[in-house]
Amino acid sequence: MKHILSVSKIEKYYGNKGNIAKAIDNISFKVNKGEFVGIMGPSGSGKTTLLNCISTIDTVTTGHIIINNRDITDLKPKKLEEFRRDELGFIFQDFNLLDTLTGFENIALALTIQNRNPKEIEVLIKSVAEILEISDVLTKYPYQMSGGQKQRVASARAIVTKPSLILADEPTGSLDSKSSRLLLESFEKLNKEQESTILMVTHDAFTASYAQRILVIKDGKIFNELIRGNSSRKEFFNKIIEVEGLLGGDISNDF
Ligand code: ADP
Ligand code: MG
């Protein structure tokens, strides 16, 4: 099976001599094309650092991160920028939509910077809007949308360029439970219908239960790996809760 992401023996230190903190302590894992993987762990365990290193926002101290056959730990800033634009899609907790643009224009932005032509842009946006069920908010401005609609517009913007890897940091963190459910169902749909590869950080067991596999991080290391397999989402949810118990139940206190 083809690996989209290969994280190999990475370490990340913060600080300087005499005052060094190890945020990531020798983490290795691979993600296959079309997988939906969750990352969970208590506050301070290194989840954001890990996601930032994979998303090229931060750099590792040692080790390698290979995305779609490119070692991003070797890329120069100019190449990194191109790489981010063409290969990665980002979904943040607070949506990051531009208030002065409509839903359509917000999504189109990702394509305009790739110099796609207007006709192509329209076709691509219509098709993702249908999957995410946001066709009726494309002409609206963010202030006219619900939180859930905003997050689905932001997700459309992240996936419309068909990135190799979608990175989501607490995507349901600002949503109520109904909107969370809708968003996660659309992630499942994207994952199945477009073979999107998704890596999602979350502290929430319900959100995590939509993933096919979960890496549990503790003290900068992989503490456990949970695989959903053929079990139902509910069964997987129960398994996640059990592991949370082993961690002392502190996964949910991540704010
Ligand atoms: P999580 O997202 O799981 O809560 P983080 O990745 O934010 O964890 O943090 C992991 C560890 O690295 C923590 O001990 C945190 O204090 C430390 N850390 C994170 N970012 C920095 C930074 N910019 N400078 C110094 N220490 C940091
Ligand atoms: Mg964090």
Side-chain angles (χ1 to χ4, degrees), residues 79-106:
K79 289 275 170 206
L80 265 184
E81 203 178 296
E82 279 173 31
F83 182 84
R84 255 199 304 269
R85 185 192 66 199
D86 296 336
E87 304 279 349
L88 302 178
F90 298 95
I91 301 167
F92 306 92
Q93 176 174 348
D94 50 5
F95 324 135
N96 282 5
L97 294 178
L98 296 177
D99 293 333
T100 54
L101 301 182
T102 63
F104 184 94
E105 290 162 346
N106 264 289

PDB file of all heavy atoms in Angstrom, residues 79-106:
ATOM      1  N   LYS A  79      10.535  26.333  -1.684  1.00  0.00           N
ATOM      2  CA  LYS A  79       9.954  25.047  -2.072  1.00  0.00           C
ATOM      3  C   LYS A  79       8.884  24.616  -1.065  1.00  0.00           C
ATOM      4  O   LYS A  79       7.879  24.014  -1.422  1.00  0.00           O
ATOM      5  CB  LYS A  79      11.048  23.965  -2.138  1.00  0.00           C
ATOM      6  CG  LYS A  79      11.987  24.130  -3.299  1.00  0.00           C
ATOM      7  CD  LYS A  79      11.417  23.486  -4.548  1.00  0.00           C
ATOM      8  CE  LYS A  79      12.226  23.863  -5.760  1.00  0.00           C
ATOM      9  NZ  LYS A  79      11.488  23.827  -7.009  1.00  0.00           N
ATOM     10  N   LEU A  80       9.141  24.918   0.203  1.00  0.00           N
ATOM     11  CA  LEU A  80       8.187  24.572   1.262  1.00  0.00           C
ATOM     12  C   LEU A  80       6.852  25.263   1.030  1.00  0.00           C
ATOM     13  O   LEU A  80       5.787  24.671   1.210  1.00  0.00           O
ATOM     14  CB  LEU A  80       8.715  25.009   2.624  1.00  0.00           C
ATOM     15  CG  LEU A  80       9.450  23.982   3.457  1.00  0.00           C
ATOM     16  CD1 LEU A  80       9.805  24.587   4.807  1.00  0.00           C
ATOM     17  CD2 LEU A  80       8.631  22.723   3.661  1.00  0.00           C
ATOM     18  N   GLU A  81       6.926  26.509   0.614  1.00  0.00           N
ATOM     19  CA  GLU A  81       5.730  27.295   0.363  1.00  0.00           C
ATOM     20  C   GLU A  81       4.911  26.661  -0.771  1.00  0.00           C
ATOM     21  O   GLU A  81       3.697  26.500  -0.656  1.00  0.00           O
ATOM     22  CB  GLU A  81       6.166  28.703  -0.031  1.00  0.00           C
ATOM     23  CG  GLU A  81       5.135  29.767   0.189  1.00  0.00           C
ATOM     24  CD  GLU A  81       5.722  31.118  -0.189  1.00  0.00           C
ATOM     25  OE1 GLU A  81       6.701  31.555   0.471  1.00  0.00           O
ATOM     26  OE2 GLU A  81       5.231  31.689  -1.174  1.00  0.00           O
ATOM     27  N   GLU A  82       5.585  26.297  -1.841  1.00  0.00           N
ATOM     28  CA  GLU A  82       4.916  25.629  -2.968  1.00  0.00           C
ATOM     29  C   GLU A  82       4.328  24.297  -2.525  1.00  0.00           C
ATOM     30  O   GLU A  82       3.225  23.929  -2.900  1.00  0.00           O
ATOM     31  CB  GLU A  82       5.928  25.327  -4.083  1.00  0.00           C
ATOM     32  CG  GLU A  82       6.227  26.492  -4.979  1.00  0.00           C
ATOM     33  CD  GLU A  82       7.373  26.146  -5.934  1.00  0.00           C
ATOM     34  OE1 GLU A  82       7.529  24.953  -6.314  1.00  0.00           O
ATOM     35  OE2 GLU A  82       8.114  27.067  -6.278  1.00  0.00           O
ATOM     36  N   PHE A  83       5.117  23.597  -1.725  1.00  0.00           N
ATOM     37  CA  PHE A  83       4.695  22.287  -1.253  1.00  0.00           C
ATOM     38  C   PHE A  83       3.409  22.386  -0.427  1.00  0.00           C
ATOM     39  O   PHE A  83       2.451  21.649  -0.637  1.00  0.00           O
ATOM     40  CB  PHE A  83       5.812  21.653  -0.417  1.00  0.00           C
ATOM     41  CG  PHE A  83       5.478  20.283   0.061  1.00  0.00           C
ATOM     42  CD1 PHE A  83       5.692  19.178  -0.747  1.00  0.00           C
ATOM     43  CD2 PHE A  83       4.909  20.083   1.315  1.00  0.00           C
ATOM     44  CE1 PHE A  83       5.356  17.905  -0.313  1.00  0.00           C
ATOM     45  CE2 PHE A  83       4.567  18.819   1.749  1.00  0.00           C
ATOM     46  CZ  PHE A  83       4.788  17.724   0.929  1.00  0.00           C
ATOM     47  N   ARG A  84       3.398  23.347   0.496  1.00  0.00           N
ATOM     48  CA  ARG A  84       2.211  23.571   1.327  1.00  0.00           C
ATOM     49  C   ARG A  84       0.989  23.872   0.472  1.00  0.00           C
ATOM     50  O   ARG A  84      -0.091  23.357   0.693  1.00  0.00           O
ATOM     51  CB  ARG A  84       2.454  24.781   2.230  1.00  0.00           C
ATOM     52  CG  ARG A  84       2.739  24.444   3.664  1.00  0.00           C
ATOM     53  CD  ARG A  84       2.511  25.615   4.581  1.00  0.00           C
ATOM     54  NE  ARG A  84       3.278  26.793   4.221  1.00  0.00           N
ATOM     55  CZ  ARG A  84       4.488  27.066   4.693  1.00  0.00           C
ATOM     56  NH1 ARG A  84       5.081  26.248   5.534  1.00  0.00           N
ATOM     57  NH2 ARG A  84       5.116  28.163   4.330  1.00  0.00           N
ATOM     58  N   ARG A  85       1.185  24.744  -0.523  1.00  0.00           N
ATOM     59  CA  ARG A  85       0.089  25.180  -1.386  1.00  0.00           C
ATOM     60  C   ARG A  85      -0.487  24.019  -2.206  1.00  0.00           C
ATOM     61  O   ARG A  85      -1.691  23.897  -2.382  1.00  0.00           O
ATOM     62  CB  ARG A  85       0.613  26.276  -2.325  1.00  0.00           C
ATOM     63  CG  ARG A  85      -0.427  26.910  -3.203  1.00  0.00           C
ATOM     64  CD  ARG A  85       0.233  27.751  -4.272  1.00  0.00           C
ATOM     65  NE  ARG A  85       0.991  26.912  -5.198  1.00  0.00           N
ATOM     66  CZ  ARG A  85       1.962  27.359  -6.011  1.00  0.00           C
ATOM     67  NH1 ARG A  85       2.317  28.614  -5.989  1.00  0.00           N
ATOM     68  NH2 ARG A  85       2.576  26.526  -6.823  1.00  0.00           N
ATOM     69  N   ASP A  86       0.404  23.158  -2.699  1.00  0.00           N
ATOM     70  CA  ASP A  86      -0.036  22.116  -3.634  1.00  0.00           C
ATOM     71  C   ASP A  86      -0.371  20.779  -2.984  1.00  0.00           C
ATOM     72  O   ASP A  86      -1.155  20.010  -3.519  1.00  0.00           O
ATOM     73  CB  ASP A  86       1.032  21.895  -4.713  1.00  0.00           C
ATOM     74  CG  ASP A  86       1.223  23.133  -5.579  1.00  0.00           C
ATOM     75  OD1 ASP A  86       0.277  23.944  -5.663  1.00  0.00           O
ATOM     76  OD2 ASP A  86       2.315  23.291  -6.150  1.00  0.00           O
ATOM     77  N   GLU A  87       0.244  20.473  -1.860  1.00  0.00           N
ATOM     78  CA  GLU A  87       0.115  19.119  -1.314  1.00  0.00           C
ATOM     79  C   GLU A  87      -0.696  19.032  -0.021  1.00  0.00           C
ATOM     80  O   GLU A  87      -1.104  17.948   0.371  1.00  0.00           O
ATOM     81  CB  GLU A  87       1.504  18.519  -1.030  1.00  0.00           C
ATOM     82  CG  GLU A  87       2.443  18.499  -2.218  1.00  0.00           C
ATOM     83  CD  GLU A  87       2.171  17.326  -3.145  1.00  0.00           C
ATOM     84  OE1 GLU A  87       1.406  16.420  -2.782  1.00  0.00           O
ATOM     85  OE2 GLU A  87       2.748  17.335  -4.254  1.00  0.00           O
ATOM     86  N   LEU A  88      -0.881  20.171   0.675  1.00  0.00           N
ATOM     87  CA  LEU A  88      -1.518  20.098   1.991  1.00  0.00           C
ATOM     88  C   LEU A  88      -2.814  20.901   2.057  1.00  0.00           C
ATOM     89  O   LEU A  88      -2.944  21.933   1.400  1.00  0.00           O
ATOM     90  CB  LEU A  88      -0.554  20.632   3.067  1.00  0.00           C
ATOM     91  CG  LEU A  88       0.809  19.951   3.193  1.00  0.00           C
ATOM     92  CD1 LEU A  88       1.639  20.634   4.264  1.00  0.00           C
ATOM     93  CD2 LEU A  88       0.670  18.464   3.509  1.00  0.00           C
ATOM     94  N   GLY A  89      -3.755  20.411   2.844  1.00  0.00           N
ATOM     95  CA  GLY A  89      -4.982  21.157   3.128  1.00  0.00           C
ATOM     96  C   GLY A  89      -5.091  21.328   4.635  1.00  0.00           C
ATOM     97  O   GLY A  89      -4.840  20.383   5.379  1.00  0.00           O
ATOM     98  N   PHE A  90      -5.445  22.522   5.087  1.00  0.00           N
ATOM     99  CA  PHE A  90      -5.502  22.789   6.531  1.00  0.00           C
ATOM    100  C   PHE A  90      -6.915  23.109   6.998  1.00  0.00           C
ATOM    101  O   PHE A  90      -7.617  23.888   6.367  1.00  0.00           O
ATOM    102  CB  PHE A  90      -4.638  24.002   6.886  1.00  0.00           C
ATOM    103  CG  PHE A  90      -3.189  23.808   6.581  1.00  0.00           C
ATOM    104  CD1 PHE A  90      -2.654  24.260   5.387  1.00  0.00           C
ATOM    105  CD2 PHE A  90      -2.366  23.149   7.474  1.00  0.00           C
ATOM    106  CE1 PHE A  90      -1.311  24.069   5.090  1.00  0.00           C
ATOM    107  CE2 PHE A  90      -1.022  22.952   7.191  1.00  0.00           C
ATOM    108  CZ  PHE A  90      -0.493  23.413   5.992  1.00  0.00           C
ATOM    109  N   ILE A  91      -7.289  22.523   8.129  1.00  0.00           N
ATOM    110  CA  ILE A  91      -8.561  22.881   8.758  1.00  0.00           C
ATOM    111  C   ILE A  91      -8.259  23.202  10.221  1.00  0.00           C
ATOM    112  O   ILE A  91      -7.671  22.384  10.935  1.00  0.00           O
ATOM    113  CB  ILE A  91      -9.573  21.718   8.664  1.00  0.00           C
ATOM    114  CG1 ILE A  91      -9.809  21.357   7.184  1.00  0.00           C
ATOM    115  CG2 ILE A  91     -10.886  22.082   9.347  1.00  0.00           C
ATOM    116  CD1 ILE A  91     -10.540  20.047   6.982  1.00  0.00           C
ATOM    117  N   PHE A  92      -8.626  24.415  10.639  1.00  0.00           N
ATOM    118  CA  PHE A  92      -8.302  24.869  11.991  1.00  0.00           C
ATOM    119  C   PHE A  92      -9.547  24.910  12.861  1.00  0.00           C
ATOM    120  O   PHE A  92     -10.663  24.952  12.355  1.00  0.00           O
ATOM    121  CB  PHE A  92      -7.706  26.287  11.946  1.00  0.00           C
ATOM    122  CG  PHE A  92      -6.537  26.424  11.028  1.00  0.00           C
ATOM    123  CD1 PHE A  92      -6.716  26.816   9.713  1.00  0.00           C
ATOM    124  CD2 PHE A  92      -5.253  26.137  11.470  1.00  0.00           C
ATOM    125  CE1 PHE A  92      -5.631  26.949   8.848  1.00  0.00           C
ATOM    126  CE2 PHE A  92      -4.167  26.265  10.620  1.00  0.00           C
ATOM    127  CZ  PHE A  92      -4.359  26.677   9.307  1.00  0.00           C
ATOM    128  N   GLN A  93      -9.317  25.000  14.173  1.00  0.00           N
ATOM    129  CA  GLN A  93     -10.445  25.061  15.099  1.00  0.00           C
ATOM    130  C   GLN A  93     -11.312  26.299  14.869  1.00  0.00           C
ATOM    131  O   GLN A  93     -12.531  26.253  14.957  1.00  0.00           O
ATOM    132  CB  GLN A  93      -9.901  25.076  16.536  1.00  0.00           C
ATOM    133  CG  GLN A  93     -10.992  25.246  17.570  1.00  0.00           C
ATOM    134  CD  GLN A  93     -10.471  25.114  18.984  1.00  0.00           C
ATOM    135  OE1 GLN A  93      -9.349  24.681  19.203  1.00  0.00           O
ATOM    136  NE2 GLN A  93     -11.287  25.472  19.941  1.00  0.00           N
ATOM    137  N   ASP A  94     -10.663  27.433  14.546  1.00  0.00           N
ATOM    138  CA  ASP A  94     -11.432  28.685  14.442  1.00  0.00           C
ATOM    139  C   ASP A  94     -11.716  29.096  12.991  1.00  0.00           C
ATOM    140  O   ASP A  94     -11.866  30.279  12.685  1.00  0.00           O
ATOM    141  CB  ASP A  94     -10.737  29.805  15.212  1.00  0.00           C
ATOM    142  CG  ASP A  94      -9.267  29.892  14.846  1.00  0.00           C
ATOM    143  OD1 ASP A  94      -8.842  29.158  13.935  1.00  0.00           O
ATOM    144  OD2 ASP A  94      -8.532  30.681  15.460  1.00  0.00           O
ATOM    145  N   PHE A  95     -11.763  28.121  12.098  1.00  0.00           N
ATOM    146  CA  PHE A  95     -12.207  28.277  10.697  1.00  0.00           C
ATOM    147  C   PHE A  95     -11.277  29.084   9.794  1.00  0.00           C
ATOM    148  O   PHE A  95     -11.053  28.711   8.653  1.00  0.00           O
ATOM    149  CB  PHE A  95     -13.623  28.863  10.582  1.00  0.00           C
ATOM    150  CG  PHE A  95     -14.592  28.414  11.638  1.00  0.00           C
ATOM    151  CD1 PHE A  95     -15.426  29.314  12.275  1.00  0.00           C
ATOM    152  CD2 PHE A  95     -14.673  27.070  11.999  1.00  0.00           C
ATOM    153  CE1 PHE A  95     -16.325  28.892  13.252  1.00  0.00           C
ATOM    154  CE2 PHE A  95     -15.562  26.630  12.973  1.00  0.00           C
ATOM    155  CZ  PHE A  95     -16.389  27.545  13.597  1.00  0.00           C
ATOM    156  N   ASN A  96     -10.790  30.256  10.267  1.00  0.00           N
ATOM    157  CA  ASN A  96      -9.923  31.097   9.427  1.00  0.00           C
ATOM    158  C   ASN A  96     -10.510  31.482   8.073  1.00  0.00           C
ATOM    159  O   ASN A  96      -9.820  31.453   7.063  1.00  0.00           O
ATOM    160  CB  ASN A  96      -8.565  30.416   9.202  1.00  0.00           C
ATOM    161  CG  ASN A  96      -7.646  30.556  10.403  1.00  0.00           C
ATOM    162  OD1 ASN A  96      -8.074  31.088  11.426  1.00  0.00           O
ATOM    163  ND2 ASN A  96      -6.433  30.105  10.283  1.00  0.00           N
ATOM    164  N   LEU A  97     -11.800  31.825   8.046  1.00  0.00           N
ATOM    165  CA  LEU A  97     -12.389  32.329   6.800  1.00  0.00           C
ATOM    166  C   LEU A  97     -12.183  33.841   6.723  1.00  0.00           C
ATOM    167  O   LEU A  97     -12.089  34.501   7.745  1.00  0.00           O
ATOM    168  CB  LEU A  97     -13.894  32.031   6.749  1.00  0.00           C
ATOM    169  CG  LEU A  97     -14.305  30.571   6.665  1.00  0.00           C
ATOM    170  CD1 LEU A  97     -15.822  30.464   6.662  1.00  0.00           C
ATOM    171  CD2 LEU A  97     -13.715  29.894   5.440  1.00  0.00           C
ATOM    172  N   LEU A  98     -12.150  34.373   5.508  1.00  0.00           N
ATOM    173  CA  LEU A  98     -12.056  35.818   5.346  1.00  0.00           C
ATOM    174  C   LEU A  98     -13.464  36.411   5.356  1.00  0.00           C
ATOM    175  O   LEU A  98     -14.315  36.043   4.548  1.00  0.00           O
ATOM    176  CB  LEU A  98     -11.317  36.165   4.051  1.00  0.00           C
ATOM    177  CG  LEU A  98      -9.853  35.711   4.036  1.00  0.00           C
ATOM    178  CD1 LEU A  98      -9.191  36.025   2.704  1.00  0.00           C
ATOM    179  CD2 LEU A  98      -9.076  36.365   5.180  1.00  0.00           C
ATOM    180  N   ASP A  99     -13.696  37.350   6.273  1.00  0.00           N
ATOM    181  CA  ASP A  99     -15.047  37.889   6.502  1.00  0.00           C
ATOM    182  C   ASP A  99     -15.610  38.681   5.328  1.00  0.00           C
ATOM    183  O   ASP A  99     -16.821  38.796   5.178  1.00  0.00           O
ATOM    184  CB  ASP A  99     -15.029  38.816   7.729  1.00  0.00           C
ATOM    185  CG  ASP A  99     -14.769  38.041   9.003  1.00  0.00           C
ATOM    186  OD1 ASP A  99     -15.112  36.835   9.025  1.00  0.00           O
ATOM    187  OD2 ASP A  99     -14.227  38.613   9.956  1.00  0.00           O
ATOM    188  N   THR A 100     -14.720  39.255   4.506  1.00  0.00           N
ATOM    189  CA  THR A 100     -15.188  40.116   3.416  1.00  0.00           C
ATOM    190  C   THR A 100     -15.447  39.328   2.138  1.00  0.00           C
ATOM    191  O   THR A 100     -15.816  39.900   1.121  1.00  0.00           O
ATOM    192  CB  THR A 100     -14.158  41.221   3.115  1.00  0.00           C
ATOM    193  OG1 THR A 100     -12.896  40.579   2.880  1.00  0.00           O
ATOM    194  CG2 THR A 100     -14.037  42.184   4.278  1.00  0.00           C
ATOM    195  N   LEU A 101     -15.236  38.028   2.182  1.00  0.00           N
ATOM    196  CA  LEU A 101     -15.476  37.195   0.996  1.00  0.00           C
ATOM    197  C   LEU A 101     -16.652  36.250   1.247  1.00  0.00           C
ATOM    198  O   LEU A 101     -16.887  35.824   2.377  1.00  0.00           O
ATOM    199  CB  LEU A 101     -14.238  36.364   0.660  1.00  0.00           C
ATOM    200  CG  LEU A 101     -12.932  37.106   0.369  1.00  0.00           C
ATOM    201  CD1 LEU A 101     -11.839  36.103   0.023  1.00  0.00           C
ATOM    202  CD2 LEU A 101     -13.104  38.099  -0.774  1.00  0.00           C
ATOM    203  N   THR A 102     -17.375  35.921   0.176  1.00  0.00           N
ATOM    204  CA  THR A 102     -18.468  34.949   0.295  1.00  0.00           C
ATOM    205  C   THR A 102     -17.874  33.542   0.473  1.00  0.00           C
ATOM    206  O   THR A 102     -16.660  33.348   0.325  1.00  0.00           O
ATOM    207  CB  THR A 102     -19.320  34.919  -0.990  1.00  0.00           C
ATOM    208  OG1 THR A 102     -18.485  34.474  -2.066  1.00  0.00           O
ATOM    209  CG2 THR A 102     -19.926  36.264  -1.306  1.00  0.00           C
ATOM    210  N   GLY A 103     -18.746  32.591   0.749  1.00  0.00           N
ATOM    211  CA  GLY A 103     -18.321  31.199   0.856  1.00  0.00           C
ATOM    212  C   GLY A 103     -17.589  30.762  -0.405  1.00  0.00           C
ATOM    213  O   GLY A 103     -16.489  30.205  -0.344  1.00  0.00           O
ATOM    214  N   PHE A 104     -18.215  31.050  -1.547  1.00  0.00           N
ATOM    215  CA  PHE A 104     -17.611  30.678  -2.837  1.00  0.00           C
ATOM    216  C   PHE A 104     -16.218  31.281  -2.971  1.00  0.00           C
ATOM    217  O   PHE A 104     -15.243  30.587  -3.304  1.00  0.00           O
ATOM    218  CB  PHE A 104     -18.505  31.152  -3.997  1.00  0.00           C
ATOM    219  CG  PHE A 104     -18.009  30.730  -5.353  1.00  0.00           C
ATOM    220  CD1 PHE A 104     -18.489  29.562  -5.952  1.00  0.00           C
ATOM    221  CD2 PHE A 104     -17.067  31.485  -6.036  1.00  0.00           C
ATOM    222  CE1 PHE A 104     -18.021  29.163  -7.205  1.00  0.00           C
ATOM    223  CE2 PHE A 104     -16.595  31.087  -7.285  1.00  0.00           C
ATOM    224  CZ  PHE A 104     -17.071  29.934  -7.869  1.00  0.00           C
ATOM    225  N   GLU A 105     -16.110  32.590  -2.675  1.00  0.00           N
ATOM    226  CA  GLU A 105     -14.817  33.283  -2.840  1.00  0.00           C
ATOM    227  C   GLU A 105     -13.756  32.758  -1.883  1.00  0.00           C
ATOM    228  O   GLU A 105     -12.577  32.662  -2.230  1.00  0.00           O
ATOM    229  CB  GLU A 105     -15.011  34.788  -2.649  1.00  0.00           C
ATOM    230  CG  GLU A 105     -15.792  35.416  -3.793  1.00  0.00           C
ATOM    231  CD  GLU A 105     -16.377  36.792  -3.450  1.00  0.00           C
ATOM    232  OE1 GLU A 105     -16.409  37.162  -2.246  1.00  0.00           O
ATOM    233  OE2 GLU A 105     -16.816  37.466  -4.386  1.00  0.00           O
ATOM    234  N   ASN A 106     -14.191  32.422  -0.662  1.00  0.00           N
ATOM    235  CA  ASN A 106     -13.244  31.839   0.294  1.00  0.00           C
ATOM    236  C   ASN A 106     -12.669  30.524  -0.220  1.00  0.00           C
ATOM    237  O   ASN A 106     -11.469  30.277  -0.113  1.00  0.00           O
ATOM    238  CB  ASN A 106     -13.938  31.605   1.638  1.00  0.00           C
ATOM    239  CG  ASN A 106     -13.711  32.738   2.627  1.00  0.00           C
ATOM    240  OD1 ASN A 106     -12.611  32.907   3.144  1.00  0.00           O
ATOM    241  ND2 ASN A 106     -14.748  33.520   2.868  1.00  0.00           N
TER     242      ASN A 106
END
